[in-house]
């Protein structure tokens, strides 16, 4: 199950439904909450609304064949421009309170897009309340740029100086929604032309340059006009064949991209063979399509990439159900997810240099309040091996240790069997440790903001 955060919302993408959770403290009132059950154009339908563990849960129907827009962030610019162009045509911000964000959009193809979450019209539920043009600029920057939506919302102008992206600078320069729409349309036309023609043009230039060289050599060697003319005609025909081949190659590339969007792995193999895709690229495409067995059949070392991809998407259930015969990496990961053998976990902490493995162990250790493992990871994986572990997970470990120390402090205060001198020493030790942990947490938090 994939899990993403958007401001005060938590999105859980499941096979047939999408669940959006909102902490009840962010609800201004409850009067109009159920207004969102009413169907709206360009939005998926709400199945039910309920409260659970202090959170409001809105369960949405997930139509077959629709993919979260987040999965398309790395696609070709002309595809993304086509998507933005369509979203501008839809312009749901005109009539609905919602969030214009990749987490909140589903896509079937570049003309068939749906939004997930919408708030009521009375402000009971959270939504983006910035000026409409600002929302569009932040969204486009997050879709095409290097940083998150939140970064652009915080200080877009400053972040764009780090991007060095001419298109995003043009987006920033627009002063109306109409100007932004016109910019996107013009850029889309330009990118489509470039995508289809660049390879053909390059090949045409290359073919003509080779033709000139060969023609001069042939003319010098043979010196016969008839042969020269014959050569020209022959090379013209060859040039046309080569250009046609490149054009066909570009069209095949488009076909492959379309099949990736449509999650069509069944018939993509022949297209990739036509273009002589290297094994690594084929494996990456099969992983993107979710055809993990095919990826593993092609390359037995792909198990690590498959498992890491699934774990980063929050798809732990798929990892548990995955069957990659002979994969030790998958076997180790399943041990982490079940987390029922302390010896196996200890061994992995001591021997693994894979940050994803250690991060998965951290997630389970924090969840299970496994203090010995957390302490071992901090000592072995962070201090000794200096593995690059996600700062949020490091903070989670620190929070667990501080919480445990606070519980110990409370226990010491209540324990009348311990003499005052010993109490004082134990208390000072725990407070000193907490201060060090808090300093470390502040450092990590500041680094994360930067």
């Amino acid at each position: 199950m994939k899990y993403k955060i958007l401001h005060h919302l938590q999105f859980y993408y499941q096979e047939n439904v999408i669940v959006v959770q909102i902490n009840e403290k962010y609800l201004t009132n409850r009067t109009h909450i159920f207004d969102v059950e009413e169907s709206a154009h360009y939005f998926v339908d709400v199945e039910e609304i309920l409260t659970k563990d202090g959170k409001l849960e809105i369960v949405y129907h997930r139509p077959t064949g629709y993919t979260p827009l987040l999965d398309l962030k790395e696609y070709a610019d002309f595809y993304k421009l086509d998507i933005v162009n369509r979203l501008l045509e839809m312009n749901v911000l005109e009539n609905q309170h919602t969030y214009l964000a990749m987490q909140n959009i589903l896509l079937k193809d570049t003309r068939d897009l749906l939004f997930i979450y919408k708030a009521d019209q009375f402000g009971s539920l959270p939504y983006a309340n910035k000026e409409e043009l600002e929302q569009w600029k932040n969204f486009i920057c997050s879709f095409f740029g290097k940083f998150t939506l939140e970064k652009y919302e915080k200080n877009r102008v400053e972040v764009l100086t780090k991007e060095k992206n001419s298109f995003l600078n043009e987006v920033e320069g627009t002063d109306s929604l109409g100007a932004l729409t016109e910019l996107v349309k013009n850029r889309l036309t330009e990118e489509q032309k470039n995508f289809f023609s660049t390879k053909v043009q390059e090949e045409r230039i290359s073919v003509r340059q080779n033709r000139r060289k060969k023609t001069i050599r042939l003319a010098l060697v043979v010196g016969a006009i008839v042969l020269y003319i014959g050569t020209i005609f022959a090379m013209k025909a060859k040039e046309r064949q080569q250009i046609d081949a490149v054009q066909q190659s570009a069209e095949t590339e488009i076909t492959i991209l379309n099949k990736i969007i449509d999650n069509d792995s069944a018939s993509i193999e022949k297209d990739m063979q036509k273009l002589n895709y290297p094994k690594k690229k084929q494996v990456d495409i099969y992983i993107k399509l979710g055809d993990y067995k095919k990826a593993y059949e092609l390359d037995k070392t792909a198990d690590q990439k498959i498992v890491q991809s699934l774990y980063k998407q929050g798809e732990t259930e798929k990892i548990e159900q995955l069957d990659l015969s002979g994969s030790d990496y998958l076997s180790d990961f399943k041990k982490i997810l079940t987390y029922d053998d302390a010896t196996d976990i200890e061994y992995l902490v001591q021997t693994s240099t894979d940050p994803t493995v250690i991060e998965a162990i951290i997630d389970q250790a924090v969840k299970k309040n496994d203090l010995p493992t957390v302490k071992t990871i901090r000592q072995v994986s962070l201090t000794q091996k200096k593995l690059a572990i996600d700062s949020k997970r490091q903070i989670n470990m620190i929070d667990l240790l501080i919480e445990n120390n606070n519980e110990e402090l409370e226990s010491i205060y209540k324990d009348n069997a311990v003499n005052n001198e010993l109490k004082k020493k134990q208390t000072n030790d725990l407070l000193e440790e907490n201060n060090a942990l808090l300093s470390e947490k502040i450092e990590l938090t500041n680094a994360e903001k930067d």
Side-chain angles (χ1 to χ4, degrees), residues 345-355 357-359 361-362 371-389 394 397 401 440:
I345 300 301
E346 172 73 17
Y347 177 78
L348 286 171
V349 172
Q350 294 290 346
T351 59
S352 180
T353 56
D354 184 331
V357 166
I358 300 303
E359 286 177 355
I361 295 173
I362 291 170
L371 289 164
T373 297
V374 165
K375 290 177 180 178
T376 304
I377 288 171
R378 282 170 54 82
Q379 178 63 34
V380 176
S381 304
L382 298 182
T383 306
Q384 294 175 12
K385 297 181 183 176
K386 301 189 185 304
L387 297 185
I389 301 300
Q394 293 189 52
M397 289 193 290
L401 292 171
E440 191 180 339

Side-chain angles (χ1 to χ4, degrees), residues 400-444:
L400 181 65
L401 292 171
I402 289 173
E403 185 183 342
N404 179 69
N405 286 348
N406 289 339
E407 287 174 3
E408 277 195 51
L409 281 167
E410 191 176 339
S411 177
I412 290 167
Y413 286 131
K414 290 178 179 178
D415 190 354
N416 296 323
V418 179
N419 66 59
N420 289 336
E421 201 60 39
L422 183 57
K423 268 188 183 182
K424 186 177 179 181
K425 184 183 182 309
Q426 289 176 338
T427 299
N428 286 339
D429 288 345
L430 287 169
L431 288 173
E432 190 177 327
E433 185 181 337
N434 268 4
N435 285 335
L437 288 167
L438 282 168
S439 297
E440 191 180 339
K441 179 179 178 178
I442 291 167
E443 205 173 301
L444 286 164

Side-chain angles (χ1 to χ4, degrees), residues 124-157:
S124 300
L125 296 171
Y127 65 95
N129 53 14
K130 289 191 176 183
E131 192 265 326
E132 196 173 318
L133 181 60
E134 284 294 295
Q135 291 189 54
W136 279 107
K137 286 182 178 181
N138 289 330
F139 167 70
I140 292 171
C141 286
S142 70
F143 197 21
F144 288 83
K146 301 174 186 175
F147 302 98
T148 63
L149 177 67
E150 289 75 17
K151 282 267 189 185
Y152 293 108
E153 287 176 334
K154 187 177 179 182
N155 195 340
R156 187 177 63 246
V157 175

